[in-house]
């Protein structure tokens, strides 16, 4: 009853969101200015203590501008690039741009181009204006000199813009002086670093424009759905500026990586310069900033390793704090013949690990490299765990869909199976602590667009709400726990957040988790251990959870699925061990591909009005149901395609417009065909074609098709290689298969059954571990 009530409630919520989306407002022509003013007002109200002198001057100077100047400035700020011509700044609500640009120049918001602006100028320049500049450049040379340049550089108007620009930039010309002689006036935006700092204070990241405000006003992006009282991100100016500096280093490191790829010989001096720079970063006690700093050090260390600079890499890793930099540092010590340093660091990590993954690495590496005698491990703990995992046989038709294969395996045994993975635990965490995350007066949300509290990333969530969190963890044992979860789910369903995603089956997964979770002690649910770890260190504990949740006889099982060739990651091992320590049945299961002799196949062929499922329609269906080589049933019908059959198609298939005029439409046979296909493997000669058409036709009837597929073309090539042609007609001739009415659906399907028998006779001999079947 509770789940039924939930489904009704969710339906109402979803209709509400849908109806709001259908009534999206139109934006007036001043929306961009309203958005910018809203941002400045918010920053002035919440971040006055951390505004630099430049930021304060920016806001003051902007406020002193005329309405037209504010409008034109914000118009430019919301467009790409920094360079504009007055010819592209014509807006009806602003009027002539010349006097407005003069005002913006006087206030220091724009300026004539200088040498640093040329890169953006060339990027935005049209080919016509570039040619216009070349004609102006021509006047600076004698006729003979110009002719020589034209011949040498192959300058001609028929060149593409990049070619023409490449030629132009080789000319010995003062381009800034020439640009000043163009009829249009060019200017460049100024004070961009200050603007970016204001954007950073609001968004917490480097943001290029205010598109989020526009999406909000159009009803596309939800905002303001949580609390309306926001805490400032920073209250200390030095911390705010350090955070801004760290935010700017992310794109800078990405740019460095691109530069080094082109100029690898510059890696050492460039990274040494970075090392000197990061050593000068000011100290900070803020957990979030320390985490960001560690990330940047780690990224730079990886770059140093990439370019074989181990000493520099170790310097960066030594600056970083915690895992995974600690792992790289140990490995480099060992590789660089410094085993004593590696051993000392490993012992420190074992005594005081920063996370489960760090302890697992340290314990494993120490055992393999520094333990003596019989206790030394040859395999890593990860490899050993995978080696010892039980093996489950799954039909090879699920190659590429390992989890679906194991789901089908356990459902046949009477289990209820869900693909839970990370979202199952994230949803439980998000719903159980919804108020503290999003609606508490002290929750760490900083603007109406925020969807994940900042203190989750920095690890401050548990410290801030520890007393409330422990109370709520105790409530997991109470009989009302399921009702509390349902209330949270129905109250907040559909609210966009960056902790978990919503889906209609969420209650079906979460309620059994609450009801059947074991007790780790008489006063603590096993769930409490998992949720407490997420609250204490969300960044580490938000991923790596097992793929599947199995439920049977009020017992829960968690399975991490590994197909042949898969590896287990250390964070997956950490989550498995945490679940086991809490009292859950959690394990890895390895898949072994088998051929199920009792598998039921439907061999199907369609004739159509053309070759594209999105536009063309089915004219005939022929299908044969087969098990262990025996025909169980057939399905055959002409179909009225509700459109004209082209004459060349009629000549190919023999199916005319008159033949299908009285045939049923696809909608009339859809339910019967769906029932015929249910629980089978879909087989066809070129399965993408036939499956694509049947799926498209069923979709028009609001029926979803999702079946494992087998292509007889692909598999005949694999098991019977070396033939000249693998068309159905040629294969039937090659193997003496009866095919009397080629291109009629049932006849083609019946012939394809014989190919399936041949394929299965060889599939049973040798089952591959990998496949090139795109459809699988």
């Amino acid at each position: 009853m509770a789940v039924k009530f939930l489904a009704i409630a969710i339906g109402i919520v979803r209709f509400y969101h849908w109806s709001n989306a259908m009534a999206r407002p139109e934006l007036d022509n001043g929306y961009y200015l309203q958005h910018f003013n809203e941002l400045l007002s918010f920053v002035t109200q919440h971040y006055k203590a951390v505004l630099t002198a430049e930021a304060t001057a920016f806001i003051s100077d902007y406020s002193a501008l005329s309405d037209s100047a504010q409008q034109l400035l914000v118009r430019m700020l919301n467009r790409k690039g920094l360079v504009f011509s007055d010819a592209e700044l014509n807006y009806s609500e602003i009027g002539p741009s010349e006097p407005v640009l003069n005002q913006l120049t006087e206030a220091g918001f724009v300026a004539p181009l200088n040498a640093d602006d040329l890169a953006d100028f060339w990027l935005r320049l049209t080919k016509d204006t570039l040619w216009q500049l070349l004609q102006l450049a021509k006047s600076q040379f004698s006729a003979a000199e110009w002719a020589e340049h034209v011949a040498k550089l192959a300058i001609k108007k028929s060149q593409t813009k990049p070619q023409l620009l490449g030629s132009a930039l080789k000319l010995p010309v003062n381009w800034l002086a020439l640009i000043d002689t163009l009829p249009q006036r060019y200017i460049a935006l100024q004070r961009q670093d200050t603007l970016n700092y204001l954007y950073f204070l609001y968004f917490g990241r480097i943001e290029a424009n205010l598109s989020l405000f526009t999406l909000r006003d159009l009803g596309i992006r939800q905002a303001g759905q949580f609390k309306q009282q926001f805490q400032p991100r920073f209250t200390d100016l030095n911390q705010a500026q350090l955070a801004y500096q760290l935010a700017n280093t992310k794109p800078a490191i990405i740019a460095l990586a691109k530069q080094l790829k082109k100029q690898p010989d510059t890696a050492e001096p460039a990274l040494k310069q970075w090392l000197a720079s990061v050593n000068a970063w000011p100290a900070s006690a803020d957990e979030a900033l320390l985490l960001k700093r560690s990330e940047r050090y780690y990224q730079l260390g990886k770059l140093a390793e990439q370019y074989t600079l181990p000493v520099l890499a170790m310097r960066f890793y030594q600056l970083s704090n915690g895992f995974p930099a600690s792992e790289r540092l140990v490995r480099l010590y060992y590789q660089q013949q410094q085993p004593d340093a590696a051993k000392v660091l490993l012992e420190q990590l074992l005594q005081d690990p920063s996370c489960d993954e760090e302890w697992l690495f340290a314990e494993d590496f120490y055992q393999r490299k520094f333990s003596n005698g019989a206790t030394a491990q040859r395999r890593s703990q990860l490899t050993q765990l995978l080696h010892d995992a039980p093996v489950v046989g799954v039909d090879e038709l699920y190659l590429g869909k390992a989890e679906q294969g194991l789901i089908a395996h356990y459902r046949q045994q009477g289990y209820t199976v869900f693909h839970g993975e990370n979202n199952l635990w994230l949803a439980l965490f998000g719903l159980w602590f919804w108020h503290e995350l999003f609606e508490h007066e002290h929750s760490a949300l900083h603007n109406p667009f925020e969807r994940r509290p900042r203190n989750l990333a920095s690890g401050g969530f548990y410290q801030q709400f520890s007393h409330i969190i422990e109370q709520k963890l105790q409530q997991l044992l109470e009989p009302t726990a399921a009702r509390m979860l349902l209330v949270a789910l129905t109250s907040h369903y559909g609210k966009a957040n960056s902790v978990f995603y919503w889906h209609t089956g969420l209650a079906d997964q979460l309620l059994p988790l609450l009801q059947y979770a074991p007790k780790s002690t008489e006063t603590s649910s096993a769930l409490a251990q998992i949720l407490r770890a997420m609250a204490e260190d969300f960044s580490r504990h938000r991923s790596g959870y097992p793929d599947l949740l199995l439920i049977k006889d009020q017992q829960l099982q968690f399975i991490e699925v590994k197909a042949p060739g898969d590896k287990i990651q250390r964070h997956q091992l950490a989550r498995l061990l945490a679940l086991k320590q809490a009292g859950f049945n959690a394990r890895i299961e390895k898949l072994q591909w088998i051929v199920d002799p009792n598998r039921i196949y439907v061999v199907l062929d369609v004739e159509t009005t053309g070759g594209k499922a999105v536009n063309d329609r089915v004219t005939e269906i022929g299908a044969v149901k087969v098990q262990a080589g025996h025909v169980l049933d057939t399905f055959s019908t002409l179909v009225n395609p509700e459109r004209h059959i082209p004459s060349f198609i009629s000549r190919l298939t023999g199916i005319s417009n008159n033949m299908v005029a009285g045939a049923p439409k696809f909608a009339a046979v859809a339910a019967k065909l769906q029932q015929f296909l249910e629980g089978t493997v879909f087989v066809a000669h070129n399965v993408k074609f036939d499956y694509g058409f049947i799926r498209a036709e069923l979709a028009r009837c609001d029926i979803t098709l999702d079946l494992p597929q087998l292509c007889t073309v692909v598999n005949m090539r694999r098991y019977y290689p070396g033939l000249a042609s693998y068309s159905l007609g040629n294969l039937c001739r090659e193997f003496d298969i009866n095919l009397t009415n080629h291109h009629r659906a049932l006849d083609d399907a019946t012939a394809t059954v014989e190919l399936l028998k041949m394929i299965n006779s060889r599939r049973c001999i040798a089952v591959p571990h990998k496949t090139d079947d795109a459809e699988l």
Side-chain angles (χ1 to χ4, degrees), residues 64-315:
L65 293 173
S66 66
D67 290 346
S68 295
Q70 288 184 355
Q71 288 172 312
L72 185 58
L73 176 62
V74 178
R75 280 285 194 185
M76 288 188 286
L77 294 178
N78 279 332
R79 292 175 60 172
K80 288 184 179 180
L82 300 176
V83 174
F84 300 90
S85 76
D86 57 1
E88 59 182 319
L89 298 176
N90 295 317
Y91 299 101
S92 58
E93 75 271 21
I94 296 173
S97 62
E98 185 71 18
V100 183
L101 286 174
N102 290 339
Q103 186 182 355
L104 290 174
T105 303
E106 186 178 342
F109 287 104
V110 302
L113 300 194
N114 61 39
D116 293 336
D117 301 319
L118 282 177
D120 193 66
F121 172 79
W122 297 125
L123 187 66
R124 296 172 52 81
L125 196 63
T126 66
K127 183 180 175 182
D128 286 342
T129 305
L130 176 57
W131 186 253
Q132 189 178 12
L133 270 176
L134 282 169
Q135 300 314 299
L136 292 171
K138 180 179 179 181
S139 63
Q140 299 193 358
F141 299 94
S142 68
E145 288 174 333
W146 182 249
E148 183 182 348
H149 285 309
V150 168
K152 183 179 179 181
L153 300 175
I155 297 173
K156 50 187 176 181
K157 198 170 186 179
S158 61
Q159 287 181 305
T160 64
K161 181 196 164 184
Q163 291 170 335
L164 196 60
L165 180 59
S167 300
L169 292 180
K170 293 174 184 176
L171 290 170
V173 170
N174 182 340
W175 289 110
L176 284 174
L178 277 183
I179 291 167
D180 282 342
T181 66
L182 286 170
Q184 60 268 43
R185 174 185 178 184
Y186 282 91
I187 51 88
L189 286 169
Q190 305 296 299
R191 304 166 83 163
Q192 286 301 291
D193 187 62
T194 302
L195 176 70
N196 286 336
Y197 180 66
L198 293 170
Y199 280 9
F200 174 76
L201 291 178
Y202 185 90
F203 292 109
R205 59 183 183 272
I206 304 299
E207 194 76 17
N209 54 50
L210 304 184
S211 59
L212 283 177
F213 287 86
T214 305
L215 295 174
R216 175 202 63 189
D217 290 355
L218 289 172
I220 298 171
R221 170 76 180 229
Q222 296 180 32
Q225 55 188 333
F226 305 132
K227 67 171 191 172
Q228 295 301 312
Q229 298 298 318
F230 300 102
Q231 302 296 317
R233 210 178 296 275
F234 308 102
T235 55
D236 178 82
L237 177 59
N238 290 331
Q239 299 301 303
Q241 293 206 279
L242 174 59
Y244 177 59
Q245 183 180 13
L246 289 171
N248 277 314
T249 59
K250 183 176 181 179
I253 293 173
I254 293 172
L256 173 65
K258 291 179 179 178
Q259 173 200 322
L260 297 185
K261 194 173 265 189
K262 295 177 183 176
Q263 300 173 301
D265 55 319
T266 65
E268 186 169 8
L271 286 166
K272 281 183 176 178
Q273 189 175 351
W274 268 93
L275 184 62
S277 173
V278 300
N279 275 321
W281 287 350
S284 174
D286 185 282
E287 290 292 333
L289 294 184
L290 289 174
L291 185 61
K292 286 292 180 191
R293 288 172 71 135
S294 288
E295 288 174 3
R296 301 295 182 262
Y297 297 142
Y298 177 65
Q299 290 162 355
L300 290 164
K302 284 175 65 180
L303 270 179
E305 275 200 86
Q306 185 179 338
Y307 291 95
T308 324
L309 299 167
V311 175
L312 271 175
M314 288 190 287
R315 293 284 300 278

Side-chain angles (χ1 to χ4, degrees), residues 8-60:
I8 295 171
I10 288 173
I12 294 170
V13 172
R14 294 177 77 186
F15 176 78
Y16 171 77
H17 289 304
W18 173 84
S19 61
N20 280 349
M22 292 300 101
R24 286 175 183 159
E26 291 187 6
L27 301 178
D28 62 50
N29 61 6
Y31 71 93
Y32 57 92
L33 190 62
Q34 296 167 16
H35 295 164
F36 191 73
N37 290 338
E38 181 181 340
L39 180 139
L40 290 186
S41 175
F42 189 96
V43 169
T44 302
Q45 176 187 350
H46 291 272
Y47 292 100
K48 190 172 184 179
V50 297
L51 290 178
T52 61
E54 293 81 5
T56 302
F58 184 105
I59 296 170
S60 175

Side-chain angles (χ1 to χ4, degrees), residues 599-611:
R599 171 69 66 192
I600 299 176
Y601 304 88
V602 166
V603 184
L604 185 144
D605 185 79
V606 294
E607 302 301 334
T608 66
T609 61

Side-chain angles (χ1 to χ4, degrees), residues 707-729:
L707 295 175
Q709 301 146 56
L710 184 147
C711 181
T712 52
V713 175
V714 170
N715 283 280
M716 286 300 290
R717 288 182 187 276
R718 176 183 298 137
Y719 295 112
Y720 296 86
L723 301 180
S725 169
Y726 288 86
S727 70
L728 182 59

